Amino acid sequence: TSSAIDPTQAVGQKLSSSTYTYSHLEPILYALGVGMSTKDPDHLKFLFEGSEDFCCLPTFGVIPSQSSMMQGGLSSVPGLNFDFTRLLHGEQYLEVYKPFPSSGQLNSEATVADVLDKGSGAVILLDVHTYCGQELICYNQFSLFIVGAGGFGGKRTSNKDKPTANPPKRRPDAVLSDATSVNQAALYRLSGDWNPLHIDPSFAALGGFHTPILHGLCSFGYAARQVLKEFADNDVKKFKAIKVRFAKPVLPGQTLETEMWKEGTRIYFQTKVKETREVAIAGAYVDLALASETSSPTLAVQETGLQSDLVFEEIGRRIKDVGSQLVAKVNAVFQWDITKDGKVAAQWTIDLKNGNGEVYRGASRGNVDTFFTLSDPDFMEVALGKLNPQKAFFAGKLKVKGNIMLSQKLELILKDYAKL
């Protein structure tokens, strides 16, 4: 019944922490589970522990994080009493902070971040932080949809939710397709997703499916490695984050076709079932690291030769002194994509929402209120007060996405804190 969902009890509850210990076997089994093949020579580093470049696929990060759920952790949370046969995987977000060791022990801490009422069902947002020793190695957000559990009078949206993003309205820059095997779900489940929905026809029938379906996270793994191959040359260090929405089920044996659009360091994508042309994964993107983030930071600044780096560093120093006052005045997170010769050459985040504020190189670690894109010389003109941000916007020099009204607070930061 709908009354069995009670956000006031559930939100903030921690599941018991889980430990995942693995050898080279698990990353190889996972790579095979998401369709990697010895037919492709550059897949060998994911399939052969003796390869000098042997490494884990970035999306292997979902495997240790779901072990707490697989151990029945969700069923023990107060305020989450529901029928597990009605559980669907709605969305997934994964952010990788450093490449996974090829064997080791990882600890995951899971928290119920929010519970939403979508009317036709309830959505549970589960945040999972995974550590290697003391070091945070990845963060997952599972968005779980419970069919028929809505109507308990809860809110529909949450600022904790990692949002999806629609692709540009143009032809894709690349399309890759890969066939799944009829045994794909039987193979993928060996990585630790034991839900019988993916192997047992009678359990699948209970969930309303004619036949067992492929794991959403298996299709997710396929699409992620297609993006990694096409836009990152299979370099796991270049992979930062991925977000997907599972739109339609896939059957083992069907072909997954992924359309990709490159916009700066973000690759938008959607994955279709080739045989039916239905979209299986929607609203999806992969964020790639800039070259500067995978090399040493001191070299990166010299290589980019961007004057804006100095301004952001100066703003960062000033925020250390007066950050708390600015957080009170601004209450927003701004991300900057600085371009050089038409390409994104640096990303900076000015966080004036959390704690005492922070400026750091790279894409935002959390939700962004306003995104700005402009060239290094134009940024310097704005920072030095020679170019009004509104004029830059109307002249097409400054692109703004997200909450445009907040950009008015920018002058507050730039005027006072970038006097070089």
Side-chain angles (χ1 to χ4, degrees), residues 210-238:
H210 297 300
T211 172
I213 59 172
L214 196 58
H215 304 72
L217 285 178
C218 179
S219 308
F220 162 94
Y222 264 81
R225 68 173 179 75
Q226 287 169 330
V227 174
L228 190 70
K229 178 184 172 70
E230 186 67 31
F231 290 104
D233 200 24
N234 278 328
D235 181 351
V236 298
K237 293 193 296 296
K238 291 182 179 166

Side-chain angles (χ1 to χ4, degrees), residues 249-260:
V250 176
L251 302 179
Q254 289 180 322
T255 303
L256 294 170
E257 181 179 274
T258 299
E259 301 171 332
M260 302 168 245

Side-chain angles (χ1 to χ4, degrees), residues 163-168 243 266 268-269 282-285:
T164 53
N166 293 323
K243 171 71 190 191
R266 177 163 285 190
Y268 296 86
F269 71 91
Y285 63 84

Side-chain angles (χ1 to χ4, degrees), residues 357-401:
E358 189 185 6
V359 175
Y360 53 88
R361 183 185 288 275
S364 171
R365 298 173 197 138
N367 291 339
V368 177
D369 294 293
T370 318
F371 293 82
F372 300 97
T373 306
L374 81 170
S375 73
D376 189 52
D378 289 335
F379 177 87
M380 292 309 292
E381 294 277 300
V382 170
L384 297 168
K386 294 179 184 171
L387 176 62
N388 172 299
Q390 277 81 5
K391 281 188 183 155
F393 176 75
F394 287 117
K397 292 179 176 180
L398 170 66
K399 291 197 181 110
V400 185
K401 276 197 313 200

Side-chain angles (χ1 to χ4, degrees), residues 11-191:
V11 174
Q13 288 283 342
K14 288 182 164 36
L15 280 63
S16 57
S17 55
S18 64
T19 300
Y20 181 83
T21 306
Y22 63 104
S23 69
H24 61 265
L25 180 68
E26 283 81 357
I28 293 173
L29 190 58
Y30 174 78
L32 291 168
V34 297
M36 295 208 113
S37 163
T38 51
K39 284 189 296 200
D40 201 326
D42 57 357
H43 285 186
L44 198 61
K45 68 176 182 179
F46 300 107
L47 297 172
F48 175 43
E49 71 285 358
S51 162
E52 59 178 314
D53 300 324
F54 180 59
C55 59
C56 295
L57 280 167
T59 50
F60 180 67
V62 299
I63 300 299
S65 72
Q66 69 185 9
S67 56
S68 57
M69 277 191 294
M70 287 298 150
Q71 289 158 14
L74 268 182
S75 56
S76 62
V77 174
L80 290 187
N81 183 14
F82 60 86
D83 176 358
F84 274 79
T85 63
R86 310 300 283 157
L87 174 76
L88 295 175
H89 196 165
E91 297 180 9
Q92 185 74 20
Y93 177 79
L94 163 68
E95 189 163 350
V96 179
Y97 302 107
K98 56 184 304 187
F100 297 93
S102 53
S103 63
Q105 189 176 71
L106 304 175
N107 297 303
S108 295
E109 306 283 342
T111 307
V112 178
D114 221 337
V115 179
L116 308 179
D117 187 344
K118 297 290 189 180
S120 61
V123 170
I124 300 168
L125 297 180
L126 192 70
D127 279 354
V128 187
H129 292 86
T130 299
Y131 299 85
C132 185
Q134 296 299 307
E135 196 167 15
L136 181 63
I137 197 164
C138 71
Y139 157 68
N140 279 272
Q141 184 179 78
F142 292 79
S143 178
L144 306 170
F145 190 82
I146 319 297
V147 180
F152 52 86
K155 56 184 183 175
R156 280 190 72 85
T157 58
S158 168
N159 60 357
K160 305 267 174 53
D161 185 20
K162 295 288 181 187
T164 53
N166 293 323
K169 290 183 166 49
R170 56 179 170 85
R171 291 182 62 175
D173 299 320
V175 182
L176 285 181
S177 73
D178 270 303
T180 65
S181 142
V182 289
N183 296 315
Q184 205 68 53
L187 179 58
Y188 182 83
R189 67 190 295 274
L190 302 182
S191 283

